[in-house]
Amino acid sequence: MSEIELNDEQRAMLAGEQGLARQMGLRLVLDLASMAGATRLVPIGGAHLSGVSPLTGGLGLRLFLARLAADPGAGVSAPTTLNSAGCDEHQFEAMRITEPEFLDHHREIIDLYARLGVRTIQSCVPYEWDGVVAAQIGAPVAWAESNAICFANSYCGLRTNRESGLSALACALTGYAPDYGLLDEAARRPNLAVNVTTPLDDPTDFSILGDWIGKQRRPGWRMPYGPIPAIGGLPDELSHEQRKALSAAAANYGCPLLYTAEPPSDGDYQDRLTFGPAELARRYEELRPRGPVSLVVLGCPQASLGELAAIARLLRDRRVSANPAAPGDPPPLWVFTSAAAKAIAERNGLAGAIRDAGALLLENTCPEVVPYDQTWVHSVLTNSMKAEHYIKSGLNGIATAVMRLADCIAVATGELRLSEREPVATVTASATTRPGQAAVVPIAMPIVSAAEMDRAAFVSHGQGLLSQGDFTIEGEALVTDTPITFLGYVNRLTGVIEEEDHPANGQSLAGKIAIFPRGTGSSVAPYVLLELHYRGVGPIAIVNSEIDQQTVPACSLEGIPYAHSFDSDVTRGLRSGDRVRLTRRGAVVTLELVEVEPYG
């Protein structure tokens, strides 16, 4: 483990002299630094925090923030902004949210962040806010919110690791981040070459490309900071909206940075992919609505002024509704934007034009973090693969279709009529109290190791966290060589993985020693882990084969035994169902097979 010399300010934080919040924050920062082999902490220019909606952060978020706010000290040490929330509280009734106590929980979360000194902008597009990027250039930053991370690294001249909501909060409280990973130029080199051989124009085309890249993930890829694609074949200049759609969708599966110039032929790539006319057409066909749509949502991430202008232009001389539709009538249209963009749109007439057409214009929230009333929202249409990815997940479990912006508007106006067949979508079953939703959990066979080896003698040695002492823990293993997407794809009430194309789909993390490469997807993952832990349905220990800011924070803060960076591939040497022992003595953690699973 790396040794980091602390300055006087940091020693005071660690001793609790500046409050519990900063003390806990520095402990986590030091754990992250030790895990990554960083030898120093660097001051940050600012931070952006995810984990705001009660739907995404859940019980884990509220309990943890309350703990920090009880002794905040001086609060955050660097300029810090807050991600989009679960509702527009000034239009809460119009959103028809029926989740019990949702508005109270929303206000509680916003108030707790404010007590820590966070600027509660409630926006997932901090890069569109006047002065935020300009004030943070020149020093590393600690951003959570997956789309903002990818956009900031790719187009804003900022450098941030793919922070989780918890690790970004720790950096914000202390004013420091570990110096490793994407803060170093060497780690920012592309590791995946993508050749685009079809014309792309509409932002939704770019959204589909970004999501497609992420979905190609292979178990053999070794990308410790996530896929960093170099994408060739795109137009020389991309619009802000095209860049935003591409980076937001690519971030669905962990891309923290992308390049949109022609990939060098001699690059050190782990794979080469081709996205052509057939791939684009196939995805549009797979994603189109198969029947009536209950609701059309636009603005994920929150709509820019350019997107609002495009929506207003398409709505000119047309009428839509904001309310649930009667059978056979066009679905309502909801448009989501930031408070900053909405304020300008109010002055230049765009907001009035959208409202005058009948749409609901919302601020401070985003389509993916809203708990929809499923007594009437049975299917959603959007132009965003980010929205599609999360609305269909266990967060809401609603069938979600994707079309270009003009087609979405045409559906909302009734000019484009859909067939009467029910929508066909990949919907993850969930047991999270969504009305009318079946809690069906598929059964998956244990994962088979790819390596032929003497499994009975399996032993591997790795590292632990600086804050954790010696431990011995024995139990059943859950093993997968594919990253786990926690937000929306791990059931908060049962600990079951619910992601249809994942090899561990249907298996439960509850009471297991979870062995997987890293977490992926949303930066809110640590709050999911915290809630699993608080509810008693989480793993009893976690082993990662790669450095991971998504799983470490919860383990660090709640003492869940954790290990990483083993001297052999633990995801291939063990199988789900094996009984394993995880032992830490000093700086070394040993993982050994105790009993082979019955299918072995």
Side-chain angles (χ1 to χ4, degrees):
M1 297 183 189
S2 58
E3 293 291 333
I4 298 176
E5 184 174 344
L6 304 182
N7 60 31
D8 291 342
E9 177 192 31
Q10 292 161 350
R11 281 193 288 270
M13 286 185 199
L14 199 57
E17 296 172 14
Q18 297 184 16
L20 175 67
R22 289 188 178 181
Q23 182 185 47
M24 292 180 68
L26 189 58
R27 284 176 180 167
L28 176 51
V29 168
L30 291 173
D31 269 344
L32 290 167
S34 173
M35 175 186 70
T39 58
R40 64 174 187 152
L41 306 181
V42 293
I44 60 171
H48 181 72
L49 309 182
S50 63
V52 187
S53 171
L55 179 68
T56 57
L59 177 67
L61 170 67
R62 290 170 32 236
L63 291 179
F64 182 71
L65 287 180
R67 186 175 170 193
L68 292 184
D71 185 9
V76 296
S77 300
T80 305
T81 50
L82 190 63
N83 213 38
S84 51
C87 66
D88 178 340
E89 64 177 277
H90 302 297
Q91 300 189 83
F92 188 77
E93 290 186 5
M95 297 184 73
R96 301 172 181 271
I97 294 172
T98 60
E99 194 82 7
E101 301 181 279
F102 191 87
L103 184 57
D104 290 340
H105 291 163
H106 158 81
R107 288 172 171 162
E108 175 189 354
I109 290 167
I110 300 300
D111 177 66
L112 290 170
Y113 275 120
R115 286 164 61 184
L116 292 171
V118 176
R119 182 184 173 194
T120 57
I121 65 172
Q122 299 173 64
S123 175
C124 54
V125 289
Y127 47 84
E128 292 182 359
W129 283 69
D130 187 36
V132 170
V133 170
Q136 298 187 19
I137 284 180
V141 299
W143 280 23
E145 164 52 42
S146 57
N147 103 83
I149 293 164
C150 193
F151 195 95
N153 277 322
S154 305
Y155 304 118
C156 295
L158 295 177
R159 290 174 179 249
T160 177
N161 278 310
R162 189 173 169 274
E163 301 291 354
S164 67
L166 269 176
S167 63
L169 177 56
C171 294
L173 288 166
T174 63
Y176 294 93
D179 187 15
Y180 79 103
L182 296 173
L183 306 188
D184 178 14
E185 185 62 35
R188 298 171 70 87
R189 296 171 184 158
N191 52 29
L192 182 65
V194 180
N195 185 31
V196 177
T197 60
T198 186
L200 304 179
D201 180 40
D202 191 278
T204 307
D205 299 345
F206 288 83
S207 186
I208 285 179
L209 168 63
D211 185 80
W212 179 88
I213 291 170
K215 288 176 76 69
Q216 307 312 302
R217 60 189 183 188
R218 305 282 189 267
W221 288 357
R222 290 295 174 259
M223 301 172 176
Y225 309 113
I228 303 177
I231 309 171
L234 299 179
D236 291 338
E237 291 293 331
L238 302 185
S239 70
H240 174 77
E241 287 69 33
Q242 290 169 336
R243 290 176 170 183
K244 182 177 173 182
L246 176 61
S247 55
N252 285 346
Y253 297 94
C255 291
L257 167 65
L258 50 82
Y259 295 91
T260 51
E262 200 69 33
S265 59
D266 58 349
D268 185 19
Y269 304 116
Q270 296 194 30
D271 215 333
R272 292 178 179 272
L273 309 174
T274 298
F275 183 82
E279 284 73 22
L280 182 62
R282 183 181 305 115
R283 288 302 285 146
Y284 270 120
E285 171 59 25
E286 292 168 347
L287 292 161
R288 70 176 177 85
R290 258 63 181 185
V293 169
S294 307
L295 176 65
V296 179
V297 297
L298 304 173
C300 185
Q302 292 169 330
S304 66
L305 282 172
E307 291 168 280
L308 292 177
I311 292 167
R313 184 168 58 252
L314 288 165
L315 286 173
R316 187 177 299 134
D317 300 324
R318 294 172 169 176
R319 289 292 303 169
V320 296
S321 172
N323 301 315
D329 288 345
L333 173 63
W334 291 5
V335 180
F336 296 72
T337 191
S338 66
K342 185 170 178 286
I344 298 172
E346 295 286 5
R347 295 195 295 270
N348 65 18
L350 291 175
I354 292 170
R355 282 195 300 266
D356 289 347
L360 180 63
L361 181 60
L362 299 162
E363 64 181 323
N364 294 338
T365 183
C366 184
E368 67 168 280
V369 296
V370 173
Y372 298 98
D373 178 2
Q374 294 189 30
T375 62
W376 68 274
V377 181
H378 307 294
S379 57
V380 170
L381 175 63
T382 182
N383 65 335
S384 162
M385 290 302 299
K386 180 175 175 63
E388 186 270 348
H389 184 73
Y390 288 108
I391 294 174
K392 76 175 185 183
S393 78
L395 291 177
N396 273 292
I398 298 173
T400 307
V402 176
M403 301 177 82
R404 294 183 173 97
L405 176 63
D407 292 330
C408 289
I409 297 290
V411 170
T413 62
E415 296 166 278
L416 179 57
R417 308 292 292 188
L418 302 171
S419 72
E420 293 305 312
R421 287 178 294 162
E422 286 301 308
V424 177
T426 301
V427 182
T428 301
S430 173
T432 52
T433 64
R434 292 279 173 259
Q437 205 177 312
V440 179
V441 177
I443 304 299
M445 293 294 287
I447 299 167
V448 178
S449 169
E452 292 295 334
M453 59 184 298
D454 181 7
R455 291 186 353 94
F458 179 86
V459 178
S460 190
H461 303 286
Q463 303 174 32
L465 294 180
L466 188 65
S467 64
Q468 295 185 347
D470 291 353
F471 57 72
T472 298
I473 189 160
E474 186 174 312
E476 181 183 342
L478 182 147
V479 186
T480 175
D481 58 7
T482 301
I484 293 176
T485 307
F486 281 91
L487 182 65
Y489 292 93
V490 175
N491 189 301
R492 295 172 185 269
L493 302 185
T494 64
V496 172
I497 297 169
E498 298 175 343
E499 186 172 1
E500 188 174 78
D501 61 351
H502 197 286
N505 181 44
Q507 296 192 52
S508 175
L509 295 163
K512 308 286 182 59
I513 295 178
I515 303 171
F516 57 99
R518 58 184 172 86
T520 189
S522 173
S523 56
V524 185
Y527 293 115
V528 178
L529 273 172
L530 283 179
E531 183 164 349
L532 294 174
H533 177 71
Y534 296 153
R535 292 185 182 278
V537 293
I540 57 174
I542 293 179
V543 171
N544 286 151
S545 53
E546 301 175 16
I547 294 171
D548 183 28
Q549 300 95 329
Q550 308 303 306
T551 53
V552 167
C555 296
S556 171
L557 293 167
E558 293 299 339
I560 302 167
Y562 179 85
H564 65 97
S565 302
F566 283 78
D567 54 17
S568 63
D569 189 345
V570 293
T571 67
R572 292 174 180 264
L574 297 168
R575 299 176 183 172
S576 288
D578 285 345
R579 189 164 187 84
V580 299
R581 182 182 300 117
L582 191 67
T583 306
R584 175 169 176 167
R585 296 292 180 266
V588 178
V589 181
T590 302
L591 177 64
E592 57 188 319
L593 179 64
V594 175
E595 183 180 351
V596 173
E597 53 90 16
Y599 294 93

